[in-house]
Amino acid sequence: DTEVTQTPKHLVMGMTNKKSLKCEQHMGHRAMYWYKQKAKKPPELMFVYSYEKLSINESVPSRFSPECPNSSLLNLHLHALQPEDSALYLCASSQVAQGYNEQFFGPGTRLTVL
Amino acid sequence: AQKITQTQPGMFVQEKEAVTLDCTYDTSDPSYGLFWYKQPSSGEMIFLIYQGSYDQQNATEGRYSLNFQKARKSANLVISASQLGDSAMYFCAMRETNNAGNMLTFGGGTRLMVKP
């Protein structure tokens, strides 16, 4: 199984809502990532989890709250978002060891904040 | 300073012809990796090919090959025999290795459009 799944595929939420994005992989990868991608731009790294611990937070606002409940799951909790947070949110996973380690990406969640 | 540069925002290629997508990078790390990803309009990032900094030969994967010129710090993607399904965004990315995993820095991307 070389697949990363993400749910939901699309999400529309108001600025006062609380929602969560979910990411799952069963490749035994111990590094998982959240990226944000605006239209016509490259993905920007938000968070990195390594062995279920948050290891990198790229100065992301606190209205985005990541969670890694186990080695297969990665969540991104959303609260009080702004319209400029509308984007494609991509999850990825990889091995942790150094060397050639491809990141496998999920299909993404297209988020619209009204 | 930008670490990964893709100078072609958009390119056209005739179906069945070859096309080269440019990528230059900047790093002082002697050990690094370079990746190319394809992103169709559906949004998923699809891994195409990888080149390690110590690899002696240029990487190839089917119709994809990587023209790696280390001294010039370039890693251009060559797609042979273009197909209509190759129309997509293409991103070059560089791996920085740390204990947290393999962080990727992406270039700005090139939109490739294949003409029938």
Side-chain angles (χ1 to χ4, degrees):
Chain A
D1 183 1
T2 58
E3 190 179 1
V4 177
T5 59
Q6 288 187 245
T7 54
K9 290 193 70 173
H10 300 273
L11 179 62
V12 179
M13 60 185 291
M15 289 190 285
T16 59
N17 292 156
K18 284 186 181 181
K19 297 287 184 183
S20 297
L21 309 185
K22 180 179 171 181
C23 173
E24 192 167 4
Q25 58 88 16
H26 295 286
M27 293 177 277
H29 292 163
R30 302 304 293 277
M32 296 186 77
Y33 312 77
W34 279 116
Y35 289 87
K36 173 183 178 180
Q37 186 179 23
K38 302 284 280 185
K40 299 186 191 317
K41 297 289 186 182
E44 295 178 351
L45 184 68
M46 300 175 71
F47 302 104
V48 181
Y49 272 83
S50 180
Y51 297 108
E52 296 85 67
K53 289 188 177 5
L54 182 65
S55 55
I56 293 176
N57 176 342
E58 292 287 293
S59 303
V60 179
S62 60
R63 56 186 185 269
F64 295 92
S65 176
E67 179 197 20
C68 191
N70 60 56
S71 60
S72 300
L73 278 176
L74 185 66
N75 298 320
L76 186 62
H77 303 297
L78 314 173
H79 177 231
L81 294 194
Q82 304 296 311
E84 58 264 29
D85 296 323
S86 298
L88 178 68
Y89 288 83
L90 292 162
C91 173
S93 70
S94 76
Q95 299 287 358
V96 175
Q98 294 192 14
Y100 164 50
N101 281 307
E102 169 193 348
Q103 284 191 21
F104 291 80
F105 283 81
T109 294
R110 289 194 186 275
L111 173 68
T112 302
V113 182
L114 302 175
Chain B
Q2 201 165 9
K3 289 191 175 184
I4 299 280
T5 303
Q6 295 179 252
T7 57
Q8 306 150 314
M11 286 192 70
F12 284 95
V13 63
Q14 198 68 40
E15 191 179 8
K16 299 180 185 175
E17 291 185 352
V19 63
T20 298
L21 306 184
D22 295 340
C23 173
T24 57
Y25 59 92
D26 184 26
T27 181
S28 56
D29 189 344
S31 176
Y32 54 89
L34 296 155
F35 297 78
W36 277 92
Y37 282 86
K38 171 184 178 181
Q39 188 177 40
S41 56
S42 58
E44 184 172 0
M45 298 284 281
I46 302 167
F47 166 74
L48 296 178
I49 197 165
Y50 167 83
Q51 181 83 42
S53 57
Y54 294 120
D55 294 343
Q56 295 294 316
Q57 293 188 315
N58 287 344
T60 60
E61 287 284 350
R63 292 186 300 113
Y64 305 107
S65 61
L66 204 152
N67 183 1
F68 182 47
Q69 298 187 44
K70 194 171 181 177
R72 299 179 65 179
K73 294 189 175 179
S74 75
N76 299 338
L77 176 70
V78 180
I79 305 175
S80 63
S82 298
Q83 301 172 354
L84 295 178
D86 294 334
S87 294
M89 280 292 288
Y90 289 80
F91 290 100
C92 178
M94 182 167 63
R95 165 182 55 81
E96 298 175 280
T97 306
N98 56 39
N99 290 334
N102 294 277
M103 294 174 59
L104 291 178
T105 303
F106 287 87
T110 295
R111 177 166 296 282
L112 177 66
M113 290 152 281
V114 181
K115 297 186 291 184

